[in-house]
């Protein structure tokens, strides 16, 4: 056989469409893999379990691991344009939450997800209905005993980092929000939201996760519902379920100050919460006035969902009370709150 035969290279044809050919063959080849036994049927939820899932196929990688941290992570490979940070994926009987920014190599899209270890339940500030959110939870108590000893009692000081999808519902939950996390349904442990980090795991304007720092609180059998695992179900929180929801419109006034105290010479913010049939809604316009104690204070500002009241700078006014009233003539509703003037300490 002449040497020219087996040394001859394959000819190269430059038609100008090589990129299209590569994309077509790459896409077709990946589609064949998705239809094979190497892939799994999965369901994708758009950042909430209250939406209809999208069914698709995916290749799941990282299914075998030698360490615990890797065992709660998976890599999902899907068609390009399928994945977004903050989505839930239900695969092989488990819920997973995408925490990375998905990207592609022109053939397929890939994202990394955490296994959701627990589900929290709360009353939606938008719909007023109980909702469920699977979350990824890390115990960040570190090496402390998990308790702080006081003079008369010992209370828990467990601290966790909780990751939850960012959406219009979860972003409304702020410091002070309470919920229950425990497998003990008889005396579940309550936690209080201490800090919200909305930027650390953000992936663009509308995608990503919220990182919550939560600290241990006290279970209250009078306000917490252990059957539904919802804290403040019967409490005074604006997220609580009313025991007897009123029909029509209503408003409430609250402050973050213990006993609604305002220091003389300083301002206090009074938050306005509006409801329709017991369900929180966007604040509507109100008329604000001081119906009692107007010689001790004044209204400085009325904004969207809040009222600023200032106590006059006079030490002699300590202990006096100011009554603030908010009303809306169109809906025929009103509410009032009593503010007590206090000292610096």
């Amino acid at each position: 056989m002449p040497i020219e035969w087996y040394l001859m290279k394959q000819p190269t044809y430059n038609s100008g469409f090589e990129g299209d050919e590569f994309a077509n063959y790459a896409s077709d080849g990946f589609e064949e893999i998705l239809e094979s036994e190497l892939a799994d049927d999965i369901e994708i939820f758009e950042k909430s379990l209250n939406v209809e899932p999208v069914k698709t196929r995916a290749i799941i990688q990282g299914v075998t691991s030698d360490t615990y941290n890797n065992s709660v992570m998976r890599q999902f490979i899907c068609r390009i344009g399928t994945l977004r940070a903050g989505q839930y994926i239900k695969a092989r009987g488990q819920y997973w939450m995408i925490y990375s920014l998905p990207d592609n190599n022109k053939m397929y899209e890939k994202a990394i997800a955490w296994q959701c270890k627990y589900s929290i339940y709360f009353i939606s500030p938008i719909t007023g209905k109980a909702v469920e959110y699977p979350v990824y939870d890390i115990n960040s108590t570190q090496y402390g005993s998990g308790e702080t000893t006081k003079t008369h009692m010992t209370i828990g000081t467990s601290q966790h980092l909780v990751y939850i999808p960012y959406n219009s519902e979860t972003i409304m939950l702020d410091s002070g929000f309470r919920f229950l996390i425990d497998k003990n349904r008889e005396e579940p442990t309550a936690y209080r939201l201490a800090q919200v980090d909305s930027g650390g795991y953000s992936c663009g304007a509308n995608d990503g996760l919220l990182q919550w720092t939560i600290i241990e609180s006290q279970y209250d059998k009078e306000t917490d519902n252990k059957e539904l695992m919802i804290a403040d179900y019967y409490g005074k929180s604006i997220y609580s379920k009313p025991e007897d929801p009123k029909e029509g419109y209503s408003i409430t006034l609250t402050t973050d100050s213990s006993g609604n105290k305002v220091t003389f010479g300083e301002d206090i913010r009074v938050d306005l919460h509006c409801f329709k049939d017991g369900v929180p809604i966007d604040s509507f316009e109100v008329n604000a006035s001081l119906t009692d104690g107007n010689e001790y204070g004044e209204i400085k500002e009325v904004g969207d969902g809040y009222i600023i009241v200032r106590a006059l700078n006079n030490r002699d006014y300590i202990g006096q009370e100011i009554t603030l009233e908010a009303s809306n003539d169109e809906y025929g509703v009103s509410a009032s709150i009593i503010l007590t003037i206090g000292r610096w300490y």
Side-chain angles (χ1 to χ4, degrees), residues 31-197:
E31 286 292 335
E32 290 182 6
I33 297 177
L34 286 181
E35 298 304 321
S36 71
E37 295 183 357
L38 295 175
D40 287 74
D41 290 319
I42 66 171
E43 294 180 322
I44 299 178
F45 296 80
E46 190 61 34
K47 307 174 187 177
S48 170
L49 298 187
N50 295 325
V51 299
E52 190 69 22
V54 175
K55 296 182 179 180
T56 187
R57 299 273 291 176
I59 298 172
I60 306 176
Q61 294 182 332
V63 295
T64 57
S65 174
D66 295 328
T67 64
Y68 172 77
N69 288 337
N70 288 337
S71 71
V72 294
M73 296 172 56
R74 293 291 186 272
Q75 300 172 25
F76 290 86
I77 298 177
C78 298
R79 299 178 181 92
I80 295 176
T82 303
L83 305 174
R84 295 172 61 189
Q87 289 175 328
Y88 287 118
I89 296 178
K90 187 175 183 181
R92 300 185 181 181
Q94 299 286 333
Y95 282 106
W96 304 82
M97 183 168 53
I98 299 177
Y99 72 87
S100 69
L101 179 65
D103 211 337
N104 67 82
N105 62 355
K106 310 301 182 183
M107 290 186 290
Y108 56 77
E109 191 168 59
K110 184 176 182 179
I112 307 174
W114 280 321
Q115 179 193 10
C116 296
K117 301 180 179 180
Y118 195 84
S119 284
I120 63 172
Y121 303 86
F122 57 89
I123 300 299
S124 168
I126 296 178
T127 65
K129 298 180 180 179
V131 292
E132 174 188 1
Y133 277 88
V135 297
Y136 181 70
D137 175 37
I138 299 176
N139 190 322
S140 58
T141 310
Q142 296 297 329
Y143 302 107
S145 64
E147 294 180 342
T148 296
T149 302
K150 298 294 184 181
T151 304
H152 301 292
M153 63 179 178
T154 300
I155 61 175
T157 58
S158 176
Q159 177 176 300
H160 290 244
L161 295 176
V162 170
Y163 298 87
I164 189 169
Y166 161 74
N167 61 27
S168 60
E169 197 167 51
T170 57
I171 194 61
M172 296 180 67
L173 307 182
D174 211 337
S175 300
F177 170 72
R178 295 174 64 252
F179 50 91
L180 306 178
I181 295 181
D182 207 333
K183 291 185 177 180
N184 179 1
R185 295 300 183 96
E186 292 302 318
E187 292 291 332
T189 302
Y191 290 86
R192 176 174 59 85
L193 181 55
Q195 184 187 53
V196 177
D197 181 358

Side-chain angles (χ1 to χ4, degrees), residues 287-291 297-302 307-310 322-325:
N287 297 316
S289 62
L290 300 182
T291 58
E298 59 182 345
I299 296 175
K300 298 294 294 183
E301 182 182 353
V302 179
I307 303 170
I308 303 296
V309 177
R310 171 169 294 179
I322 302 172
T323 302
L324 170 67
E325 182 180 84

